[in-house]
Each structure stands twice: as C-alpha cells, then as structure tokens.
C-alpha cells in the first residue's frame, strides 16, 4: 500500500513538473514574441509550437534508454555508493560493510527494487508517448527503444540482482 501511494505521488509530481511545465514553458518560449505582438492568437500559436517541444522529449527518452538503463544494468549508482561509503568509513569491518551506513549500501547487498520510483518514471514515458504520438509519430522510435531495452534490463535486475521484499498480490497492477 505504501508503494502504491509512493508511486501515485511521484507520478503526479513528474506529470506536473516534467510534462506540463516543460511543455508549457517550451511552447511559450518558442512563441513569446508572436504572442506579444498578437495576444488574441495565443492558443493557436501555442498549439502550433507544441510539436516542436517533441524534440526535447525524444532526447529525454533516448537518454533514459541509452544512459539510464545501462547505468541500472551495471549498477553504477551502487558502485559509486560503495566507493563513497569506503571513503567515509574506511575502518569498517566485513560485518559493517554488509549493513547500510548513512543510507549507503555495499554493492553486494542491492536491497529491494523500488517499484514506486521506477514504475512512476516508466509511466511518465508512457504518458509522453501517448501525448506526443498524435502530433509527431516519430516519438514512437525512442519509446520503442526504451521499452525494449527496459524489458531486458528490468527482467535481469528483478530475477538476478534485487531481493524480493514483499508480494503485493497484484495491487500495483490491477
């Protein structure tokens, strides 16, 4: 239940901050001069400049696919956390290294998979694809690449890396 709450709140945050703010600010910035000259045509100008913001979201999804997912696969964040933990606490015994210290885990103890965090991030990609595919079908290419690579990466990570913490009984995916 906490994971579902975390996912819904993080998803709402991302929709507002990433999708809406980026879309509105990108459209306004692209057509601010024309809006100031002719304020009555604001909505038509914003509607015309909206597909140009699609390039940002294509780059965003490409970066998630070709930088974020490989980083998840090689566990780069966990390696950086382990390095930082050993710099902060160099005199740790073998037993101390197994436990988290200041939130920093050892690379051998990955912990559990945060469905609330990763689920919300992937749902944002779905929403971006649904919003922009109508205006610019080329956005499907980065979406297809992201979900193809993500399927392989997350399947590997869930089967071989992360420890199962709980079973939700299908609560997250009704």
């Amino acid at each position: 239940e906490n994971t579902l709450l975390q996912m819904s709140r993080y998803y709402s945050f991302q929709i507002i901050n990433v999708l809406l703010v980026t879309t509105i600010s990108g459209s306004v910035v692209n057509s601010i001069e024309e809006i100031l000259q002719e304020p009555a045509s604001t909505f038509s100008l914003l509607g015309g400049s909206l597909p140009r913001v699609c390039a940002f979201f294509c780059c965003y999804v490409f970066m998630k696919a070709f930088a974020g997912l490989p980083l998840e696969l090689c566990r780069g964040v966990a390696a950086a956390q382990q390095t930082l933990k050993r710099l902060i606490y160099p005199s740790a015994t073998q037993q101390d290294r197994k436990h988290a210290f200041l939130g920093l885990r050892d690379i051998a103890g990955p912990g559990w998979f945060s469905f609330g965090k990763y689920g919300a991030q992937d749902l944002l990609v779905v929403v971006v694809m649904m919003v922009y595919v109508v205006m610019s079908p080329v956005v499907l290419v980065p979406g297809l690449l992201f979900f193809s690579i993500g399927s392989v990466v997350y399947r590997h990570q869930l089967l071989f890396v992360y420890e199962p913490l709980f079973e939700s009984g299908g609560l997250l995916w009704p």
Side-chain angles (χ1 to χ4, degrees):
E1 200 169 298
N2 288 337
T3 303
L4 185 61
L5 185 63
Q6 176 194 11
M7 186 166 79
S8 68
R9 287 183 179 172
Y10 188 47
Y11 172 74
S12 301
F13 172 79
Q14 284 196 319
I15 290 295
I16 291 168
N17 285 313
V18 176
L19 184 66
L20 295 178
V21 170
T22 303
T23 301
I24 292 170
S25 65
S27 297
V28 169
V29 167
N30 285 340
S31 56
I32 190 74
E33 186 178 312
E34 297 167 6
I35 291 173
L36 291 175
Q37 289 174 358
E38 194 174 335
S41 65
T42 301
F43 292 113
S44 62
L45 289 172
L46 289 178
S49 66
L50 199 59
R52 285 182 273 182
V53 183
C54 178
F56 167 77
F57 286 110
C58 283
C59 292
Y60 179 79
V61 176
F62 269 129
M63 287 301 294
K64 285 181 73 63
F66 292 114
L69 291 175
L71 192 64
E72 170 67 29
L73 188 61
C74 72
R75 303 199 52 233
V77 174
Q81 283 183 346
Q82 179 178 354
T83 304
L84 186 62
K85 180 180 173 183
R86 291 199 179 171
L87 287 173
I88 293 173
Y89 189 33
S91 61
T93 63
Q94 191 67 23
Q95 187 67 23
D96 290 338
R97 288 187 184 135
K98 291 181 182 178
H99 301 291
F101 175 73
L102 297 175
L104 303 172
R105 295 184 166 276
D106 195 58
I107 197 164
W112 52 279
F113 185 78
S114 178
F115 284 102
K117 176 184 169 190
Y118 292 109
Q121 290 174 355
D122 294 348
L123 282 174
L124 175 69
V125 175
V126 170
V127 170
V128 166
M129 295 298 113
M130 294 300 207
V131 167
Y132 280 97
V133 75
V134 178
M135 294 176 269
S136 179
V138 75
V139 79
L140 286 175
V141 174
L144 177 68
L145 289 172
F146 174 77
F147 287 111
S148 299
I149 296 169
S151 173
V152 173
V153 168
Y154 288 138
R155 185 177 303 129
H156 176 271
Q157 298 296 83
L158 288 170
L159 288 175
F160 301 115
V161 176
Y162 290 108
E163 302 166 2
L165 183 67
F166 64 90
E167 178 60 45
S168 68
L171 235 171
L172 288 177
W173 319 110

